[in-house]
Amino acid sequence: MEITNEIVEKHGLKLDEYKTIQKLLKRNPNILELGIFSAMWNEHCSYKSSRIHLKKLPTKGKKVIQGPGENAGVIDIGDNDAIVFKIESHNHPSYIEPYQGAATGVGGILRDVFTMGARPIALLNSIHFGSTTHPKTKSLLNGVVSGIGGYGNCIGIPTVAGETKFNETYNENILVNAMAVGLAKKNKIFYSKAKGLNKAVVYVGSKTGRDGIHGASMASAEFDENSEEKKPTVQVGDPFTEKLLLEACLELMKDDSIIAIQDMGAAGLTSSSVEMASKGSLGIELELDKVPCREDNMSPYEMMLSESQERMLIILEDGKEHHARKIFEKWDLDFVIIGKTNNSKNLTLKYNNKIEGEIPVEILATKAPIYDRKWVKKKVVQKKIAIKQLKKIKLEDALIKILSSPNHSNKSWITDQYDQMVMCDTIQKSGSDSAIIRIHNTNKAIAVTVDSSANYCKSFPLTGGKQVVCENWRNLISVGAKPLAITNCLNFGNPENEEIMGEFAECLEGIKEACEFLNYPVVSGNVSFYNGTNKKNIYPTPVIGGVGLIQNLSNPINHLFKKENSIIILVGKTFGHLGQSCFIKENFSINEGNPPEVNLKNEKENGENVLSLIQKNLVLSAHDVSSGGLLVSLSEMSIASKLGVKIQKPKKLTNLNEYFFGEDQSRYLLEISEDHLTKVEKNLKKNNIFYELIGKTQKRYFEIENEIKLDVNYLSKINNQWYYNY
């Protein structure tokens, strides 16, 4: 077949990239080889527009065993236990085919985790949809939620936390980010680096079909009016087969049979074989006529580019073939030796004893394009919100408006569709600042959470990047966990647009600064570019998944008030910042102003001191103050516990809306018993931590001095009505 410019472009390659391929190969590629370059050189696999910036992130720390570069990150939690975790996007597939797109997103991230030798113990998600009035939103929401629940529930892994947000920026490009967390032994971590010559390369798992061909390339391009035609590029998942694959892999991992292992995710057999060979500076020869296929007459091109799910590629030690085969056949899975390693440093593809393609591995991996794309800084005009009606809005009316809005309503309508308790180690599930998972048969636990803040990042990317890391940090602190490390999923528009690339660069700089200051390294992640349709890009949406350690689970903390007449303390200063707040969004239908400043010194000191108080058992409940400000955070605590509050008005700030709805950072709400108040105040004063005594808990009524007096049951009703009516 003659390779025309049209064929090159259909494969997602630029014409100058094709010329580079010709130069590196010193010949024209055939159609199979072109498809392989298309898979390996797209944004999804090569990170060609982001690698320069990603290198700036802090990736090392005392607890880091494995940082970016493997299937997932690994951190040490003591006692020879390790936590393996990662978050990835499945945005484009989920928009085209919401159920399967979301389901296979879950399946893919699970394989990234158990490929490392970890048993998955928790799933999380961050899902973003367009306006609730958009004609597609309801069906997309239902499909994605069903897909997440369907896959996670069937495979038997709890979906314990997440976030669901709505914004018109996602009308034509939803975001579906899936995170998985697994538990492994520190001395039994498995990697993807090929080693040794003439080692068996083994295909295991499900058979290869024609689903998902060009899936990675599709995920590296913008949508247009013809996006529905891309449904064949969406993979089809089978959680029951994945469960078999999980158990078979973990069983084989009990001994010393495996040299390297890699799941067939994006770009399928192509990426798995190339990545293993590249990391080991070896060659791999594959006999494609041996690949198990579920459809007739599949071509080498289709086999190499298929993204059929529930498949792995394994390199075995000599003499372990029979042992491994018995395990996979016991679990009713395909086990076929389809190739071997060699010293050629080439990817050699044979079909019916004929070489159909041969490419130096380094050309596909280390010599893939790296672009230092032009970008421009966001022009930020420092200004304060100036809305004449600001003082005219009553606290009560504004609060009801926010609590009944789609973004702040109770989301149990969604989370109840997920099995959150399977495996019996979920101590705290969705609805709290962070979920808590017990490390089985121990008294320690991990806390996990995901966060994003698109409005902040759009308005001021540098500050927005810092803020989303800090909010994640606070959410772990609020449940008594010491933050250890993060994974990130960076969702942005077209990187060829200088402004979009500027948003990416500045957000990443903010993430870097916050992670460095907080000693909160990045150990894994994913970049998703080209999120947009017909040149209309989404807001920059970096999603942060955080993991923290609770060393002693004797007194787990959440945001539910525990008793009447306890003291409520606000830790951190309130300045009344309303820029980009949900207060102005919900009450005035505008996004205006700059996000609140992030003081990293305050974040660290306030957080460390709050954590110390929790660890000393001086805190009954805790909650970070974020979206919606102080009044919304107090409401969430009251609604969850069915206990009321009596709060004093501030003496300094003149505008009550600024005080109660301002989204100033570095703040926590703490419930303290009167018996412990003296100790708590002494600790805070000793460490120069600003705090206010703002009120007490009480029975039944949510009360702000001379401004609000509402029955907590009424607040709960308001907070629940949107989802049930949608």
Side-chain angles (χ1 to χ4, degrees), residues 462-596:
L462 181 66
T463 297
K466 292 179 190 177
Q467 187 276 336
V468 70
V469 172
C470 292
E471 184 177 351
N472 190 269
W473 161 275
R474 292 197 301 274
N475 281 332
L476 294 175
I477 296 273
S478 297
V479 299
K482 179 177 175 55
L484 295 181
I486 70 167
T487 181
N488 58 40
C489 194
L490 307 172
N491 307 278
F492 289 78
N494 190 333
E496 298 166 54
N497 179 311
E498 292 182 11
E499 291 184 1
I500 302 298
M501 199 63 212
E503 291 173 349
F504 179 81
E506 290 196 271
C507 272
L508 216 67
E509 180 62 28
I511 292 170
K512 167 186 172 290
E513 288 182 22
C515 287
E516 285 180 341
F517 199 94
L518 298 174
N519 297 318
Y520 202 25
V522 182
V523 298
S524 60
N526 170 233
V527 178
S528 176
F529 278 135
Y530 296 98
N531 288 290
T533 299
N534 292 326
K535 310 299 180 183
K536 190 174 181 179
N537 295 285
I538 66 162
Y539 284 5
T541 313
V543 176
I544 303 296
V547 176
L549 178 64
I550 301 173
Q551 199 65 57
N552 186 343
L553 204 51
S554 59
N555 184 32
I557 291 289
N558 56 32
H559 71 304
L560 279 69
F561 289 129
K562 299 301 182 293
K563 63 180 185 178
E564 298 172 37
N565 295 314
S566 50
I567 310 298
I568 302 172
I569 292 181
L570 175 62
V571 175
K573 288 185 179 180
T574 299
F575 301 97
H577 191 102
L578 290 177
Q580 295 299 320
S581 67
C582 73
F583 172 80
I584 64 166
K585 172 69 175 175
E586 300 300 340
N587 288 281
F588 300 98
S589 299
I590 59 172
N591 293 326
E592 193 170 300
N594 305 313

Side-chain angles (χ1 to χ4, degrees), residues 53 61 105 113 119 121 125 129 136 169 200 291 295 323 366 375 404 415 426 431 439 453 478 483 535 583 628 671 701:
H53 299 277
V113 165
R119 179 171 290 281
I121 58 174
N125 56 77
F129 300 91
K136 288 185 179 180
T169 189
V291 172
E295 299 183 47
H323 167 65
T366 57
W375 60 276
S404 60
T415 56
T426 306
I439 303 303
S453 187
S478 297
K535 310 299 180 183
F583 172 80
E671 179 193 5
Y701 289 106

Side-chain angles (χ1 to χ4, degrees), residues 370-408:
I370 300 177
Y371 295 135
D372 187 3
R373 297 195 184 276
K374 292 181 180 179
W375 60 276
V376 294
K377 277 193 173 186
K378 183 83 172 183
K379 292 180 181 178
V380 180
V381 180
Q382 298 292 338
K383 62 178 182 178
K384 194 173 181 179
I385 297 296
I387 302 174
K388 293 179 181 179
Q389 308 98 302
L390 190 64
K391 293 183 180 181
K392 296 180 181 178
I393 297 179
K394 293 182 179 178
L395 283 182
E396 181 177 323
D397 294 340
L399 178 62
I400 289 172
K401 186 90 170 179
I402 294 171
L403 291 180
S404 60
S405 69
N407 280 317
H408 289 85

Side-chain angles (χ1 to χ4, degrees), residues 76-142:
D76 186 353
I77 61 168
D79 307 309
N80 198 34
D81 290 326
I83 294 297
V84 180
F85 65 107
K86 188 181 183 183
I87 189 170
E88 277 201 338
S89 63
H90 230 223
N91 303 334
H92 288 59
S94 299
Y95 182 74
I96 296 169
E97 188 12 88
Y99 184 95
Q100 289 296 349
T104 52
V106 173
I109 199 64
L110 284 171
R111 289 194 301 279
D112 281 340
V113 165
F114 73 76
T115 300
M116 301 289 294
R119 179 171 290 281
I121 58 174
L123 287 163
L124 301 87
N125 56 77
S126 175
I127 51 181
H128 294 68
F129 300 91
S131 167
T132 56
T133 60
H134 191 274
K136 288 185 179 180
T137 296
K138 192 171 182 177
S139 62
L140 289 169
L141 173 65
N142 287 332

Side-chain angles (χ1 to χ4, degrees), residues 242-255:
E242 179 121 333
K243 174 64 174 174
L244 300 177
L245 183 62
L246 162 68
E247 298 299 340
C249 288
L250 292 181
E251 183 175 340
L252 184 60
M253 288 169 171
K254 289 178 181 178
D255 57 36

Side-chain angles (χ1 to χ4, degrees), residues 161-179:
E163 59 175 7
T164 303
K165 295 186 176 182
F166 300 90
N167 190 306
E168 55 272 15
T169 189
Y170 310 110
N171 278 348
E172 305 298 332
N173 197 123
I174 64 173
L175 302 183
V176 177
N177 294 180
M179 177 176 168

